Amino acid sequence: MVSQEVPGTSRCTQDAHSLDELSTSCTEVHKSSDMKKSDSSGVMAKADIKPKSICHAKKWSDEVENLYRFQQAGYRDEVEYKQVKQVDTVECWPETGFVKKLQRRDNTFYYYDKQRECEDREVHKVKVYVY
């Protein structure tokens, strides 16, 4: 991991990847009764977004790499990170689109390299959440 901060931010680009890269067996973790709706509009509040199911990654991809980084810092994914830290964008490397810097819940920072950090032996541990 790199501990030097470079000024400027860039928005991560998330490419859609085929589902065959993910495990086909998913575990349901969501009930419709758990979802809270806003009293005025009937639309689900942003802070109440919960995943519907979980799949484990089978093959490395850019999406799996970023999920690995979020989960290493203690978050499910980018959605939860943005909810907890109240930020609009996540700092990413412009060359690769990988997450560059994350702030943990205890306010310490994780700094990541431009290159891949999720090794093949770690890929199966990455959880992919479906909303």
Side-chain angles (χ1 to χ4, degrees):
M1 285 203 265
V2 176
S3 61
Q4 182 180 11
E5 186 174 341
V6 178
T9 59
S10 173
R11 186 173 182 128
C12 289
T13 56
Q14 301 234 345
D15 297 328
H17 296 282
S18 62
L19 290 176
D20 56 276
E21 295 176 355
L22 309 175
S23 173
T24 55
S25 62
C26 295
T27 305
E28 290 293 321
V29 294
H30 178 265
K31 293 180 183 176
S32 60
S33 61
D34 294 340
M35 294 173 63
K36 296 182 181 178
K37 297 191 177 198
S38 172
D39 295 330
S40 60
S41 65
V43 178
M44 192 170 57
K46 185 178 180 182
D48 294 336
I49 295 175
K50 303 267 192 232
K52 292 180 183 177
S53 61
I54 302 172
C55 298
H56 285 268
K58 288 186 172 182
K59 186 177 173 185
W60 184 90
S61 67
D62 291 350
E63 179 185 11
V64 169
E65 178 66 33
N66 279 334
L67 286 170
Y68 173 79
R69 294 173 186 218
F70 281 108
Q71 290 170 18
Q72 195 177 37
Y75 301 95
R76 276 193 314 253
D77 51 18
E78 186 175 359
V79 173
E80 184 184 37
Y81 180 77
K82 288 179 176 180
Q83 287 175 1
V84 172
K85 289 299 175 184
Q86 301 292 314
V87 296
D88 293 328
T89 60
V90 178
E91 233 180 287
C92 297
W93 290 104
E95 298 90 354
T96 60
F98 295 151
V99 174
K100 182 178 185 179
K101 177 179 80 171
L102 293 174
Q103 188 175 10
R104 291 181 7 168
R105 294 173 196 260
D106 64 0
N107 293 327
T108 58
F109 286 89
Y110 276 6
Y111 295 90
Y112 298 100
D113 289 332
K114 293 178 189 177
Q115 296 87 9
R116 173 181 174 175
E117 291 195 8
C118 180
E119 298 178 16
D120 285 333
R121 65 180 182 198
E122 302 289 323
V123 169
H124 74 283
K125 297 177 184 176
V126 176
K127 296 176 185 176
V128 180
Y129 293 88
V130 179
Y131 291 91

